[in-house]
Short mmCIF file of all heavy atoms in Angstrom, two decimals:
data_model
loop_
_atom_site.label_atom_id
_atom_site.label_comp_id
_atom_site.label_asym_id
_atom_site.label_seq_id
_atom_site.Cartn_x
_atom_site.Cartn_y
_atom_site.Cartn_z
N SER A 18 -0.49 -20.60 0.97
CA SER A 18 -0.23 -20.15 2.33
C SER A 18 -0.42 -18.64 2.43
O SER A 18 -1.03 -18.11 3.39
CB SER A 18 1.18 -20.54 2.73
OG SER A 18 1.46 -20.13 4.05
N LEU A 19 0.10 -17.91 1.46
CA LEU A 19 -0.04 -16.43 1.48
C LEU A 19 -1.48 -16.04 1.32
O LEU A 19 -1.98 -15.08 1.98
CB LEU A 19 0.82 -15.82 0.34
CG LEU A 19 2.32 -15.95 0.49
CD1 LEU A 19 3.04 -15.49 -0.77
CD2 LEU A 19 2.82 -15.15 1.69
N TYR A 20 -2.19 -16.72 0.43
CA TYR A 20 -3.62 -16.45 0.20
C TYR A 20 -4.43 -16.67 1.49
O TYR A 20 -5.29 -15.84 1.85
CB TYR A 20 -4.14 -17.37 -0.90
CG TYR A 20 -5.56 -17.15 -1.34
CD1 TYR A 20 -5.93 -16.10 -2.15
CD2 TYR A 20 -6.56 -18.04 -0.92
CE1 TYR A 20 -7.25 -15.93 -2.52
CE2 TYR A 20 -7.87 -17.88 -1.28
CZ TYR A 20 -8.21 -16.81 -2.11
OH TYR A 20 -9.51 -16.61 -2.48
N GLU A 21 -4.12 -17.74 2.19
CA GLU A 21 -4.84 -18.04 3.45
C GLU A 21 -4.49 -17.01 4.50
O GLU A 21 -5.35 -16.58 5.28
CB GLU A 21 -4.48 -19.41 3.96
CG GLU A 21 -5.09 -20.54 3.11
CD GLU A 21 -4.64 -21.92 3.56
OE1 GLU A 21 -3.66 -22.01 4.36
OE2 GLU A 21 -5.25 -22.92 3.12
N ASN A 22 -3.25 -16.59 4.58
CA ASN A 22 -2.81 -15.58 5.57
C ASN A 22 -3.50 -14.25 5.34
O ASN A 22 -3.88 -13.57 6.31
CB ASN A 22 -1.32 -15.40 5.56
CG ASN A 22 -0.60 -16.57 6.21
OD1 ASN A 22 -1.22 -17.41 6.84
ND2 ASN A 22 0.69 -16.65 6.00
N VAL A 23 -3.64 -13.85 4.08
CA VAL A 23 -4.33 -12.58 3.79
C VAL A 23 -5.81 -12.69 4.14
O VAL A 23 -6.37 -11.78 4.80
CB VAL A 23 -4.16 -12.23 2.29
CG1 VAL A 23 -5.04 -11.04 1.93
CG2 VAL A 23 -2.71 -11.87 2.00
N ASN A 24 -6.45 -13.77 3.75
CA ASN A 24 -7.88 -13.95 4.04
C ASN A 24 -8.15 -14.13 5.52
O ASN A 24 -9.22 -13.75 6.00
CB ASN A 24 -8.45 -15.12 3.27
CG ASN A 24 -8.70 -14.82 1.80
OD1 ASN A 24 -8.96 -13.68 1.45
ND2 ASN A 24 -8.58 -15.80 0.92
N GLY A 25 -7.19 -14.69 6.21
CA GLY A 25 -7.39 -14.96 7.65
C GLY A 25 -6.70 -13.95 8.56
O GLY A 25 -6.43 -14.27 9.73
N ILE A 26 -6.44 -12.75 8.04
CA ILE A 26 -5.67 -11.76 8.82
C ILE A 26 -6.39 -11.36 10.12
O ILE A 26 -5.74 -11.14 11.13
CB ILE A 26 -5.38 -10.50 7.92
CG1 ILE A 26 -4.34 -9.60 8.61
CG2 ILE A 26 -6.62 -9.76 7.60
CD1 ILE A 26 -2.96 -10.15 8.66
N LEU A 27 -7.74 -11.32 10.05
CA LEU A 27 -8.46 -10.93 11.26
C LEU A 27 -8.30 -11.96 12.37
O LEU A 27 -8.12 -11.61 13.54
CB LEU A 27 -9.95 -10.77 10.92
CG LEU A 27 -10.31 -9.58 10.00
CD1 LEU A 27 -11.83 -9.57 9.72
CD2 LEU A 27 -9.87 -8.24 10.61
N GLU A 28 -8.32 -13.24 11.97
CA GLU A 28 -8.12 -14.29 12.97
C GLU A 28 -6.69 -14.27 13.54
O GLU A 28 -6.48 -14.51 14.74
CB GLU A 28 -8.39 -15.68 12.31
CG GLU A 28 -9.87 -16.02 12.15
CD GLU A 28 -10.53 -15.23 11.04
OE1 GLU A 28 -9.79 -14.62 10.21
OE2 GLU A 28 -11.75 -15.24 10.95
N LEU A 29 -5.71 -13.97 12.66
CA LEU A 29 -4.34 -13.90 13.14
C LEU A 29 -4.14 -12.76 14.12
O LEU A 29 -3.42 -12.88 15.13
CB LEU A 29 -3.39 -13.71 11.96
CG LEU A 29 -3.30 -14.88 10.95
CD1 LEU A 29 -2.36 -14.53 9.80
CD2 LEU A 29 -2.85 -16.14 11.62
N VAL A 30 -4.82 -11.65 13.85
CA VAL A 30 -4.78 -10.51 14.78
C VAL A 30 -5.46 -10.84 16.09
O VAL A 30 -4.94 -10.62 17.20
CB VAL A 30 -5.42 -9.24 14.14
CG1 VAL A 30 -5.57 -8.13 15.17
CG2 VAL A 30 -4.60 -8.77 12.97
N GLN A 31 -6.63 -11.44 15.97
CA GLN A 31 -7.45 -11.77 17.14
C GLN A 31 -6.74 -12.69 18.12
O GLN A 31 -6.75 -12.49 19.33
CB GLN A 31 -8.77 -12.37 16.70
CG GLN A 31 -9.69 -12.76 17.83
CD GLN A 31 -10.96 -13.45 17.34
OE1 GLN A 31 -11.20 -13.56 16.15
NE2 GLN A 31 -11.76 -13.97 18.27
N PHE A 32 -6.09 -13.72 17.54
CA PHE A 32 -5.48 -14.72 18.40
C PHE A 32 -3.97 -14.59 18.51
O PHE A 32 -3.29 -15.47 19.05
CB PHE A 32 -5.85 -16.12 17.89
CG PHE A 32 -7.31 -16.43 17.92
CD1 PHE A 32 -8.04 -16.49 16.75
CD2 PHE A 32 -7.99 -16.59 19.14
CE1 PHE A 32 -9.41 -16.74 16.77
CE2 PHE A 32 -9.34 -16.83 19.17
CZ PHE A 32 -10.05 -16.91 18.00
N ASN A 33 -3.42 -13.47 17.95
CA ASN A 33 -2.00 -13.19 18.02
C ASN A 33 -1.17 -14.40 17.52
O ASN A 33 -0.21 -14.86 18.17
CB ASN A 33 -1.60 -12.84 19.44
CG ASN A 33 -0.27 -12.16 19.52
OD1 ASN A 33 0.21 -11.57 18.52
ND2 ASN A 33 0.39 -12.26 20.68
N SER A 34 -1.55 -14.90 16.34
CA SER A 34 -0.94 -16.09 15.80
C SER A 34 0.04 -15.81 14.65
O SER A 34 0.25 -16.65 13.80
CB SER A 34 -2.02 -17.08 15.31
OG SER A 34 -2.84 -17.45 16.40
N TYR A 35 0.57 -14.58 14.61
CA TYR A 35 1.48 -14.21 13.52
C TYR A 35 2.66 -15.15 13.45
O TYR A 35 3.05 -15.60 12.35
CB TYR A 35 2.00 -12.77 13.75
CG TYR A 35 0.98 -11.70 13.46
CD1 TYR A 35 0.57 -10.83 14.46
CD2 TYR A 35 0.50 -11.51 12.15
CE1 TYR A 35 -0.36 -9.85 14.20
CE2 TYR A 35 -0.44 -10.52 11.90
CZ TYR A 35 -0.86 -9.67 12.93
OH TYR A 35 -1.75 -8.71 12.65
N ASP A 36 3.28 -15.47 14.61
CA ASP A 36 4.51 -16.21 14.60
C ASP A 36 4.31 -17.58 13.97
O ASP A 36 5.16 -18.06 13.20
CB ASP A 36 5.02 -16.36 16.03
CG ASP A 36 5.49 -15.05 16.61
OD1 ASP A 36 5.77 -14.13 15.81
OD2 ASP A 36 5.59 -14.91 17.85
N LEU A 37 3.18 -18.23 14.32
CA LEU A 37 2.92 -19.58 13.79
C LEU A 37 2.82 -19.56 12.27
O LEU A 37 3.48 -20.38 11.61
CB LEU A 37 1.60 -20.11 14.39
CG LEU A 37 1.14 -21.48 13.88
CD1 LEU A 37 2.13 -22.56 14.32
CD2 LEU A 37 -0.25 -21.83 14.42
N LYS A 38 2.02 -18.61 11.72
CA LYS A 38 1.82 -18.57 10.28
C LYS A 38 3.09 -18.03 9.57
O LYS A 38 3.40 -18.45 8.46
CB LYS A 38 0.60 -17.71 9.94
CG LYS A 38 -0.72 -18.43 10.25
CD LYS A 38 -0.85 -19.67 9.37
CE LYS A 38 -2.14 -20.44 9.65
NZ LYS A 38 -2.23 -21.66 8.83
N ASN A 39 3.75 -17.11 10.23
CA ASN A 39 4.98 -16.57 9.65
C ASN A 39 6.03 -17.68 9.52
O ASN A 39 6.75 -17.75 8.52
CB ASN A 39 5.51 -15.42 10.55
CG ASN A 39 6.65 -14.71 9.90
OD1 ASN A 39 6.59 -14.35 8.71
ND2 ASN A 39 7.70 -14.45 10.63
N LYS A 40 6.12 -18.52 10.52
CA LYS A 40 7.04 -19.66 10.51
C LYS A 40 6.70 -20.59 9.33
O LYS A 40 7.61 -21.08 8.66
CB LYS A 40 6.95 -20.42 11.83
CG LYS A 40 7.97 -21.55 11.93
CD LYS A 40 7.83 -22.25 13.27
CE LYS A 40 8.81 -23.45 13.35
NZ LYS A 40 8.64 -24.19 14.61
N GLU A 41 5.41 -20.81 9.13
CA GLU A 41 4.96 -21.68 8.03
C GLU A 41 5.38 -21.12 6.69
O GLU A 41 5.93 -21.83 5.82
CB GLU A 41 3.44 -21.82 8.06
CG GLU A 41 2.85 -22.64 6.92
CD GLU A 41 1.34 -22.60 6.92
OE1 GLU A 41 0.70 -23.17 7.82
OE2 GLU A 41 0.78 -21.94 5.99
N VAL A 42 5.18 -19.80 6.48
CA VAL A 42 5.57 -19.15 5.21
C VAL A 42 7.10 -19.23 5.03
O VAL A 42 7.56 -19.50 3.89
CB VAL A 42 5.09 -17.69 5.17
CG1 VAL A 42 5.65 -16.94 3.96
CG2 VAL A 42 3.56 -17.62 5.14
N ILE A 43 7.84 -18.98 6.11
CA ILE A 43 9.31 -19.02 6.01
C ILE A 43 9.78 -20.40 5.62
O ILE A 43 10.68 -20.59 4.79
CB ILE A 43 9.94 -18.55 7.33
CG1 ILE A 43 9.73 -17.04 7.53
CG2 ILE A 43 11.42 -18.89 7.38
CD1 ILE A 43 10.12 -16.55 8.88
N GLU A 44 9.19 -21.44 6.23
CA GLU A 44 9.58 -22.84 5.94
C GLU A 44 9.32 -23.16 4.49
O GLU A 44 10.15 -23.79 3.80
CB GLU A 44 8.83 -23.79 6.88
CG GLU A 44 9.34 -23.79 8.30
CD GLU A 44 8.52 -24.66 9.23
OE1 GLU A 44 7.47 -25.17 8.76
OE2 GLU A 44 8.90 -24.83 10.40
N ILE A 45 8.12 -22.77 3.98
CA ILE A 45 7.78 -23.05 2.59
C ILE A 45 8.72 -22.27 1.66
O ILE A 45 9.20 -22.81 0.64
CB ILE A 45 6.32 -22.68 2.30
CG1 ILE A 45 5.38 -23.56 3.12
CG2 ILE A 45 5.99 -22.85 0.81
CD1 ILE A 45 3.92 -23.11 3.09
N SER A 46 9.02 -21.02 2.01
CA SER A 46 9.90 -20.18 1.19
C SER A 46 11.30 -20.76 1.13
O SER A 46 11.96 -20.79 0.09
CB SER A 46 9.95 -18.75 1.75
OG SER A 46 8.68 -18.15 1.72
N GLU A 47 11.81 -21.22 2.30
CA GLU A 47 13.15 -21.81 2.34
C GLU A 47 13.18 -23.09 1.51
O GLU A 47 14.19 -23.38 0.86
CB GLU A 47 13.57 -22.09 3.78
CG GLU A 47 13.87 -20.79 4.56
CD GLU A 47 14.20 -21.05 6.02
OE1 GLU A 47 13.91 -22.18 6.49
OE2 GLU A 47 14.72 -20.15 6.67
N ASP A 48 12.11 -23.87 1.58
CA ASP A 48 12.06 -25.12 0.82
C ASP A 48 12.08 -24.80 -0.67
O ASP A 48 12.77 -25.47 -1.47
CB ASP A 48 10.76 -25.85 1.18
CG ASP A 48 10.76 -27.28 0.68
OD1 ASP A 48 11.85 -27.85 0.51
OD2 ASP A 48 9.66 -27.84 0.51
N LEU A 49 11.31 -23.75 -1.07
CA LEU A 49 11.30 -23.31 -2.47
C LEU A 49 12.69 -22.79 -2.88
O LEU A 49 13.17 -23.05 -4.00
CB LEU A 49 10.23 -22.24 -2.66
CG LEU A 49 10.14 -21.60 -4.02
CD1 LEU A 49 9.82 -22.61 -5.12
CD2 LEU A 49 9.07 -20.50 -4.03
N PHE A 50 13.32 -22.06 -1.96
CA PHE A 50 14.66 -21.49 -2.21
C PHE A 50 15.67 -22.61 -2.51
O PHE A 50 16.51 -22.50 -3.39
CB PHE A 50 15.10 -20.64 -1.04
CG PHE A 50 16.50 -20.07 -1.18
CD1 PHE A 50 16.73 -19.00 -2.02
CD2 PHE A 50 17.54 -20.63 -0.46
CE1 PHE A 50 18.02 -18.49 -2.14
CE2 PHE A 50 18.83 -20.11 -0.59
CZ PHE A 50 19.06 -19.04 -1.43
N ASP A 51 15.58 -23.69 -1.72
CA ASP A 51 16.51 -24.83 -1.89
C ASP A 51 16.37 -25.42 -3.28
O ASP A 51 17.36 -25.77 -3.93
CB ASP A 51 16.26 -25.88 -0.82
CG ASP A 51 16.67 -25.43 0.57
OD1 ASP A 51 17.47 -24.48 0.65
OD2 ASP A 51 16.17 -26.00 1.56
N THR A 52 15.12 -25.56 -3.74
CA THR A 52 14.85 -26.09 -5.09
C THR A 52 15.41 -25.16 -6.16
O THR A 52 16.00 -25.61 -7.14
CB THR A 52 13.34 -26.30 -5.28
OG1 THR A 52 12.84 -27.08 -4.24
CG2 THR A 52 13.07 -27.02 -6.60
N SER A 53 15.21 -23.85 -5.97
CA SER A 53 15.73 -22.88 -6.92
C SER A 53 17.25 -22.90 -6.98
O SER A 53 17.84 -22.79 -8.07
CB SER A 53 15.23 -21.45 -6.54
OG SER A 53 13.83 -21.39 -6.53
N ILE A 54 17.89 -23.07 -5.84
CA ILE A 54 19.33 -23.18 -5.78
C ILE A 54 19.81 -24.40 -6.56
O ILE A 54 20.80 -24.37 -7.29
CB ILE A 54 19.83 -23.25 -4.33
CG1 ILE A 54 19.69 -21.88 -3.66
CG2 ILE A 54 21.29 -23.72 -4.26
CD1 ILE A 54 20.60 -20.80 -4.26
N GLU A 55 19.05 -25.50 -6.41
CA GLU A 55 19.42 -26.76 -7.10
C GLU A 55 19.33 -26.53 -8.64
O GLU A 55 20.21 -26.97 -9.39
CB GLU A 55 18.49 -27.87 -6.70
CG GLU A 55 18.95 -29.26 -7.08
CD GLU A 55 18.14 -30.36 -6.46
OE1 GLU A 55 17.27 -30.06 -5.59
OE2 GLU A 55 18.36 -31.52 -6.84
N LEU A 56 18.28 -25.83 -9.08
CA LEU A 56 18.17 -25.52 -10.50
C LEU A 56 19.29 -24.63 -10.96
O LEU A 56 19.85 -24.79 -12.05
CB LEU A 56 16.83 -24.83 -10.77
CG LEU A 56 15.58 -25.72 -11.02
CD1 LEU A 56 14.34 -24.87 -11.11
CD2 LEU A 56 15.80 -26.55 -12.28
N SER A 57 19.68 -23.65 -10.13
CA SER A 57 20.76 -22.72 -10.46
C SER A 57 22.11 -23.47 -10.59
O SER A 57 22.93 -23.15 -11.45
CB SER A 57 20.90 -21.64 -9.40
OG SER A 57 19.72 -20.85 -9.34
N LYS A 58 22.31 -24.48 -9.75
CA LYS A 58 23.53 -25.26 -9.84
C LYS A 58 23.63 -25.97 -11.18
O LYS A 58 24.68 -26.03 -11.81
CB LYS A 58 23.57 -26.32 -8.71
CG LYS A 58 23.87 -25.70 -7.34
CD LYS A 58 23.86 -26.78 -6.27
CE LYS A 58 24.14 -26.19 -4.90
NZ LYS A 58 24.07 -27.20 -3.83
N PHE A 59 22.49 -26.50 -11.65
CA PHE A 59 22.49 -27.19 -12.99
C PHE A 59 22.75 -26.15 -14.09
O PHE A 59 23.39 -26.48 -15.09
CB PHE A 59 21.18 -27.91 -13.22
CG PHE A 59 21.12 -29.25 -12.54
CD1 PHE A 59 20.35 -29.44 -11.42
CD2 PHE A 59 21.87 -30.33 -13.03
CE1 PHE A 59 20.30 -30.70 -10.78
CE2 PHE A 59 21.81 -31.56 -12.41
CZ PHE A 59 21.04 -31.76 -11.30
N ALA A 60 22.22 -24.93 -13.91
CA ALA A 60 22.49 -23.88 -14.88
C ALA A 60 23.99 -23.59 -14.95
O ALA A 60 24.57 -23.36 -16.03
CB ALA A 60 21.71 -22.62 -14.54
N GLY A 61 24.62 -23.56 -13.76
CA GLY A 61 26.06 -23.34 -13.70
C GLY A 61 26.84 -24.46 -14.34
O GLY A 61 27.82 -24.23 -15.08
N VAL A 62 26.41 -25.70 -14.10
CA VAL A 62 27.05 -26.85 -14.72
C VAL A 62 26.89 -26.78 -16.25
O VAL A 62 27.87 -27.04 -16.99
CB VAL A 62 26.43 -28.17 -14.20
CG1 VAL A 62 26.91 -29.37 -15.02
CG2 VAL A 62 26.74 -28.39 -12.73
#
């Protein structure tokens, strides 16, 4: 997702689509964060 956003920065500027792609990155990051938290819980256990 980050790779595509960097390569497609001109298109994002042209069509003012930052919010759409930013939302996508945030959703993926939060999903990854949830998994990391789950791993951390097992480390605590």
Side-chain angles (χ1 to χ4, degrees):
S18 181
L19 293 172
Y20 183 77
E21 287 176 348
N22 285 348
V23 170
N24 283 330
I26 191 71
L27 293 179
E28 283 74 12
L29 294 179
V30 171
Q31 179 184 354
F32 297 109
N33 197 24
S34 299
Y35 286 117
D36 292 341
L37 177 65
K38 285 298 179 180
N39 189 46
K40 184 180 178 183
E41 177 187 291
V42 172
I43 289 172
E44 286 175 354
I45 297 171
S46 299
E47 288 177 346
D48 194 24
L49 176 60
F50 177 75
D51 291 340
T52 306
S53 300
I54 288 294
E55 195 171 353
L56 274 174
S57 298
K58 286 179 181 177
F59 278 107
V62 170

